[in-house]
Amino acid sequence: MSEPSPAERFARASQRLKHPLTAEFAASQRFELDDFQLAGCQALEEGRSVLVAAPTGAGKTIVGEFAVHLAMREPGDKAFYTTPIKALSNQKFRELQEVYGADEVGLLTGDTNINGSARIVVMTTEVLRNMLYADSAALRGLRYVVMDEVHYLADRFRGAVWEEIIIHLPASVRLVSLSATVSNAEEFGDWLDTVRGDTEVIVSEVRPVPLEQHVLVRGDLLPLFDDRAGIATAQVNQELLRIRSGSGATYENNRRSQAYRSGRQAGTIPSGRRPHKSGQRPVRSANLPRIERLDRPQVVELLSRANLLPAIFFIFSRAGCDGAVSQVRRANLRLTSVEERKEIREIVEERTRTLREEDLAVLGFWEWRDNLERGVAAHHAGLLPAFKEVVEELFQRKLVKAVFATETLALGINMPARTVVLERLEKFNGEARVAITSGEYTQLTGRAGRRGIDVEGHAVIQWTEALDPQAVAALASRRTYPLNSSFRPTYNMAVNLIDQFGRARAREILESSFAQFQADRAVVGLARQVREAEESLAGYEKAMTCDRGDFREYSAIRRELSDEEKLNRRDGNASRATREQRQRAIASLRRRMQRHPCHNCPDRENHARWAERYWKLKRSTDKIRHQIQTRTGTVARVFDRVVDVLAALEYVVVDDDGSTRLTPSGRTMRRIYGERDLLVAESLRLGLWEGLDAPGLAALACALVYEPRRDEAGAGEHGLPRGAFRGALDATQRLWQELDDLEQDSRLPGTEPIAVGLSGAMHQWVRGVPLDRVLVDADLAAGDFVRWAKQTIDLLDQISLVADSPLAGVARQALDGVRHGIVAYSAV
């Protein structure tokens, strides 16, 4: 790295003087901050919100941590750090505790509540959304909100939550949005600027650790790009193209490959040089009808010899991940020293000591621990959360050297590797094998390269007969994916908005969504003008308040009289009958004005001046409203359909003038969240679940949250509890059908049928049946069972808060019944 010029040194010194807090924070970090990190921190120091879009592993979270640092400088200020998944929340909670101490940091993830009143609280986004709708006291003093992985708002199931938070956060809160490098970051930043005010957009596409990309052909790691053509052109390695075409060229024809092969010792790859297995005999592609792939133990050994471990192997199936670990085990491959194995065992014993002895064999604990001691592990959603956390910790400590993972590992968890291996560039989406997108490729390979440890990261794609080097190069060089809104109004959102703002204002708020912004960018700006005008109108109305009567009514008469008099003066050619009619109208208006109680107010003209401002602004605001109505208005129209359904079911009452208010049932629905908010609210209102015991209610709640696998045939009645549960289930299913018909009539999408595939196993679990029998009946991996159990807990918790007695008490018993054994385990 070249020395900065005198001009650059002067510019940096000037910035340090201008942004002393950023300079102080930067000096305390282990690494010198990159330009985009400094720019983000400086914008926050200047009092602005920021959107930081940068590659995975680039260090975006530094900007979020600076926001926390700023909040902690001022007594009474708070900072919330939101993440999309509980694993990320847990990780960030531990990191912030190390900096600020346990007393200052809290954690809220739905099923975990630790020190929730702290000045720094890490939480999932749904928790913050619920706080905003409840106007929680915890929001007082909130100064900064960090939204990590904000590109999650494209998620079609949960994405709306991000937009709700961004729209509803108080204007005084500075927002720190951290995103992957999306192709329309500027558009998203424009929306943030429109709805939140002054927002700095900072986009970086520079990886802190350069990424070298290779294709593994037999035992050779060939570069994907040929650097001889220059970095700007990123020309595909011609040798790869010749191998694909089977033209007969040898690896020696690529001079770049020869350079790697000559005289290099394993484990001494200099910066900027691509590895190539030394001593490998050149492969003549013309003589090979088919290039055989190395098996997984051979690939691990190759990477080990080339000093390219630790590595993450992305395999797009859980069975593939578990099978890969088994292959390495059968090959008797060990990647750890005696000292490392001892340390691994100590950590495993410490982190899993609360697990029941009788559950360990069911969970495959002994084989899992032995694999860890070999330095290998799987990582996927079917793994028990406790086991996943241990794998993550051991990998971060460089004790586990090879992890075979599904793509869920790429979702922001801090697990960088020296090398990322992609076995295939396609995955099964539940219906067919589809090619991964450029965004997915970027997210996966973004794990390669550990800042401060590696001079470069390595991405390795294994050769297959169908591999097209040009297509791989296009994936690797394209600027990731566009961020598209998935926002849609829900019943819960509708009742909360109506309760807080009224129906008219709720429609305007929905016009501020990113979904509407993308449909018609102008509508968002217009909606913001209306919101700002409404605040001024409220102020003018207060200023013209008269203790003798309704001055707005009085001023309306004055305006009407003034308009009639102007028309009378202007229209001299009107007929005699028209003039007489107008004179009678003017006389009538004068009498009404003189009889109005506000006419004799001594402060009348002062009130009138404010009234004139009020009517002038109202007229222009009404014009803007008309503009909004004539535009697309897609989100607001869906909202109107949602309100129609709520009105039909008497959750809201729509008055003759169009104003809408909640009924007692509507007020209950404000606290019911999830895909089935309407079905849950209606079931409670109709008393369909009265008489259920705790296991029965848990089984029914599980049926409402469970989503069966695509390959899972519609589960029948086998294994379901009898008695009251059957009656309640039948009634709930009939209700679902009625609601689905009503939604179809209202041109709303509806919900999927109720799935009872896990209800029998959940009933058994709450009754205390041993884990091994429950997992057999559930036909699920332990991690999947825990995930659905925690979603069942979330719903039972909501029922316990909104249901009448005795059902609320039964819900609490059911909640406690689900939360035991492996479900209750938490490493936090």
Side-chain angles (χ1 to χ4, degrees):
M1 187 175 178
S2 59
E3 283 291 317
S5 67
E8 289 172 330
R9 287 199 298 271
F10 177 77
R12 291 179 187 177
S14 299
Q15 286 294 334
R16 284 196 294 272
L17 289 172
K18 190 177 177 182
H19 301 98
L21 300 182
T22 298
E24 174 197 358
F25 178 76
S28 69
Q29 301 303 304
R30 291 184 298 128
F31 307 114
E32 183 177 347
L33 296 193
D34 293 331
D35 289 344
F36 84 90
Q37 295 169 323
L38 289 170
C41 294
Q42 289 165 1
L44 284 173
E45 187 172 351
E46 291 168 4
R48 286 178 283 166
S49 294
V50 291
L51 165 65
V52 180
T56 301
K60 297 182 289 289
T61 56
I62 282 287
V63 182
E65 289 163 11
F66 180 64
V68 175
H69 173 76
L70 290 177
M72 295 303 286
R73 288 178 59 87
E74 300 296 329
D77 280 1
K78 291 182 180 178
F80 288 172
Y81 198 109
T82 73
T83 73
I85 54 178
K86 292 174 183 177
L88 273 176
S89 293
N90 294 342
Q91 189 175 77
K92 204 70 206 174
F93 170 67
R94 288 190 289 263
E95 290 174 4
L96 290 170
Q97 272 191 326
E98 290 175 6
V99 178
Y100 296 101
D103 293 342
E104 297 286 12
V105 186
L107 177 68
L108 297 173
T109 61
D111 61 345
T112 303
N113 184 338
I114 301 173
N115 199 17
S117 60
R119 290 179 59 197
I120 307 166
V121 185
V122 182
M123 61 185 70
T124 48
T125 40
E126 280 82 0
V127 170
L128 179 53
R129 186 271 312 272
N130 299 352
M131 277 186 180
L132 288 167
Y133 279 151
D135 194 23
S136 168
L139 297 169
R140 296 190 186 101
L142 182 60
R143 186 79 174 87
Y144 298 95
V145 167
V146 182
M147 300 193 77
D148 204 354
E149 309 284 337
V150 75
H151 51 273
Y152 253 81
L153 68 76
D155 184 88
R156 72 186 178 96
F157 295 112
R158 300 173 58 210
V161 176
W162 275 255
E163 293 191 47
E164 289 177 82
I165 290 171
I166 292 167
I167 291 169
H168 293 309
L169 272 176
S172 59
V173 175
R174 298 294 90 192
L175 187 65
V176 182
S177 305
L178 308 177
S179 171
T181 312
V182 293
S183 54
N184 60 335
E186 292 81 4
E187 178 190 37
F188 182 50
D190 287 346
W191 173 69
L192 287 172
D193 192 65
T194 304
V195 295
R196 298 294 313 163
D198 191 9
T199 301
E200 180 85 3
V201 179
I202 298 162
V203 178
S204 173
E205 297 187 63
V206 179
R207 286 175 48 97
V209 180
L211 181 66
E212 299 289 347
Q213 311 209 48
H214 321 279
V215 178
L216 176 58
V217 186
R218 271 203 166 179
D220 286 286
L221 284 168
L222 299 182
L224 175 61
F225 295 107
D226 188 347
D227 288 351
R228 291 175 300 172
I231 259 183
T233 59
Q235 182 179 324
V236 178
N237 184 349
Q238 293 300 304
E239 183 63 20
L240 291 172
L241 298 178
R242 285 191 285 268
I243 292 170
R244 175 171 168 77
S245 65
S247 64
T250 67
Y251 289 172
E252 280 90 355
N253 289 343
N254 186 319
R255 288 177 297 174
R256 186 72 169 155
S257 293
Q258 290 182 48
Y260 299 124
R261 195 179 292 107
S262 60
R264 185 187 54 76
Q265 293 182 347
T268 58
I269 306 165
S271 175
R273 304 287 296 276
R274 297 177 175 81
H276 187 99
K277 185 179 174 185
S278 66
Q280 177 73 29
R281 185 177 176 181
V283 179
R284 299 183 177 272
S285 54
N287 299 326
L288 288 174
R290 186 170 183 274
I291 297 176
E292 297 293 336
R293 286 162 58 97
L294 296 182
D295 62 24
R296 286 156 178 160
Q298 287 176 305
V299 177
V300 173
E301 283 188 287
L302 183 151
L303 296 180
S304 178
R305 286 197 301 270
N307 196 26
L308 292 179
L309 295 180
I312 298 172
F313 291 70
F314 281 111
I315 302 172
F316 299 116
S317 81
R318 299 178 186 182
C321 294
D322 293 334
V325 173
S326 297
Q327 287 174 5
V328 174
R329 181 187 179 89
R330 286 196 300 272
N332 202 28
L333 199 61
R334 286 192 181 274
L335 306 172
T336 53
S337 66
V338 174
E339 293 76 17
E340 287 174 327
R341 289 196 285 275
K342 182 174 180 291
E343 188 176 352
I344 289 169
R345 179 166 294 214
E346 289 173 355
I347 292 170
V348 169
E349 297 294 342
E350 171 64 23
R351 300 292 182 268
T352 61
R353 68 181 188 282
T354 59
L355 289 175
R356 295 175 178 175
E357 191 73 28
E358 60 269 25
D359 291 342
L360 296 181
V362 180
L363 297 170
F365 172 83
W366 312 110
E367 185 174 317
W368 170 73
R369 188 184 68 179
D370 182 66
N371 291 332
L372 290 177
E373 291 179 15
R374 291 173 180 271
V376 296
H379 189 289
H380 53 70
L383 210 59
L384 190 69
F387 286 11
K388 279 200 294 186
E389 290 166 11
V390 170
V391 171
E392 291 159 14
E393 181 179 352
L394 294 177
F395 194 79
Q396 289 164 16
R397 293 186 179 215
K398 302 189 281 290
L399 295 170
V400 164
K401 320 290 185 178
V403 168
F404 299 91
T406 56
E407 68 268 33
T408 54
L409 186 144
L411 299 177
I413 296 172
N414 182 26
M415 274 185 71
R418 176 165 293 175
T419 304
V420 162
V421 180
L422 300 182
E423 292 196 346
R424 296 182 182 277
L425 295 177
E426 59 180 25
K427 65 178 182 177
F428 186 69
N429 67 359
E431 296 173 357
R433 297 205 73 84
V434 296
I436 65 172
T437 66
S438 58
E440 289 168 330
Y441 183 91
T442 303
Q443 193 85 346
L444 296 169
T445 57
R447 292 277 151 217
R450 299 163 299 174
R451 189 168 186 170
I453 301 174
D454 301 319
V455 294
E456 61 195 12
H458 299 272
V460 175
I461 296 93
Q462 285 196 262
W463 180 269
T464 65
E465 292 300 307
L467 188 78
D468 180 359
Q470 295 280 19
V472 179
L475 276 180
S477 56
R478 195 176 302 141
R479 183 184 173 188
T480 65
Y481 52 88
L483 183 59
N484 293 315
S485 172
S486 61
F487 185 85
R488 62 179 178 83
T490 65
Y491 298 107
N492 170 269
M493 187 192 303
V495 293
N496 273 294
L497 287 174
I498 290 169
D499 184 52
Q500 283 192 294
F501 307 108
R503 183 172 183 174
R505 178 78 188 282
R507 291 181 97 257
E508 288 159 8
I509 288 170
L510 293 172
E511 294 286 5
S512 299
S513 66
F514 188 44
Q516 186 60 56
F517 186 83
Q518 291 189 304
D520 182 353
R521 293 181 63 166
V523 168
V524 177
L526 293 171
R528 187 179 184 190
Q529 288 180 45
V530 169
R531 288 203 308 276
E532 291 172 349
E534 281 182 335
E535 293 174 7
S536 298
L537 286 170
Y540 294 162
E541 194 167 5
K542 186 176 180 182
M544 70 180 179
T545 301
C546 178
D547 58 3
R548 301 201 176 193
D550 185 348
F551 202 89
R552 185 167 64 169
E553 181 183 71
Y554 174 72
S555 63
I557 298 170
R558 279 179 54 143
R559 285 182 66 83
E560 191 176 351
L561 174 60
S562 176
D563 291 342
E564 288 290 341
E565 288 176 336
K566 285 176 185 175
L567 278 173
N568 194 44
R569 289 193 299 270
R570 196 181 305 149
D571 199 359
N573 297 324
S575 65
R576 180 178 176 180
T578 300
R579 287 199 304 272
E580 287 177 355
Q581 183 183 12
R582 192 168 285 149
Q583 288 291 349
R584 287 194 297 272
I586 289 171
S588 174
L589 286 167
R590 280 181 179 152
R591 283 194 299 272
R592 286 177 60 198
M593 181 182 73
Q594 290 163 359
R595 291 172 185 166
H596 197 283
C598 292
H599 188 66
N600 296 318
C601 174
D603 207 18
R604 183 185 70 196
E605 291 311 307
N606 184 44
H607 294 330
R609 282 191 292 273
W610 286 108
E612 187 59 31
R613 294 176 187 173
Y614 174 89
W615 289 110
K616 186 177 180 180
L617 180 58
K618 187 176 186 307
R619 182 177 293 174
S620 67
T621 305
D622 288 344
K623 285 182 181 177
I624 297 173
R625 282 200 177 98
H626 179 70
Q627 283 181 277
I628 291 174
Q629 289 167 4
T630 57
R631 293 179 185 269
T632 53
T634 50
V635 177
R637 280 201 292 273
V638 173
F639 171 73
D640 287 337
R641 293 172 198 156
V642 167
V643 174
D644 289 343
V645 171
L646 291 170
L649 296 171
E650 300 181 347
Y651 284 89
V652 301
V653 174
V654 182
D655 296 327
D656 293 339
D657 62 357
S659 61
T660 307
R661 51 194 165 81
L662 303 189
T663 65
S665 297
R667 283 191 286 277
T668 297
M669 184 182 274
R670 289 178 310 170
R671 301 169 72 185
I672 299 172
Y673 304 95
E675 286 287 305
R676 299 193 187 274
D677 47 7
L678 182 60
L679 179 59
V680 173
E682 272 290 270
S683 297
L684 292 175
R685 185 170 72 90
L686 298 173
L688 301 188
W689 302 338
E690 301 292 341
L692 285 174
D693 60 7
L697 184 58
L700 194 48
C702 179
L704 297 181
V705 300
Y706 179 59
E707 296 170 18
R709 300 185 297 270
R710 284 190 175 92
D711 59 349
E712 186 178 323
E717 305 290 298
H718 176 70
L720 293 180
R722 301 284 176 183
F725 173 83
R726 289 301 180 99
L729 175 63
D730 290 344
T732 306
Q733 288 175 322
R734 284 194 301 272
L735 175 61
W736 171 82
Q737 186 64 65
E738 293 167 9
L739 295 179
D740 192 62
D741 291 343
L742 178 59
E743 289 174 320
Q744 296 292 337
D745 293 343
S746 300
R747 290 178 296 155
L748 290 170
T751 57
E752 293 294 318
I754 296 170
V756 295
L758 190 54
S759 293
M762 190 60 67
H763 188 267
Q764 290 184 324
W765 178 250
V766 177
R767 286 176 49 229
V769 171
L771 176 64
D772 56 347
R773 283 177 50 195
V774 170
L775 291 182
V776 168
D777 287 351
D779 190 24
L780 286 178
D784 290 318
F785 179 75
V786 169
R787 179 161 53 92
W788 293 120
K790 291 195 172 184
Q791 292 197 32
T792 302
I793 286 171
D794 285 345
L795 179 53
L796 289 170
D797 186 43
Q798 293 174 39
I799 295 170
S800 74
L801 295 173
V802 300
D804 297 327
S805 296
L807 186 61
V810 176
R812 284 190 287 274
Q813 293 172 22
L815 191 154
D816 291 337
V818 177
R819 190 188 282 142
H820 75 272
I822 61 171
V823 177
Y825 176 86
S826 174
V828 174

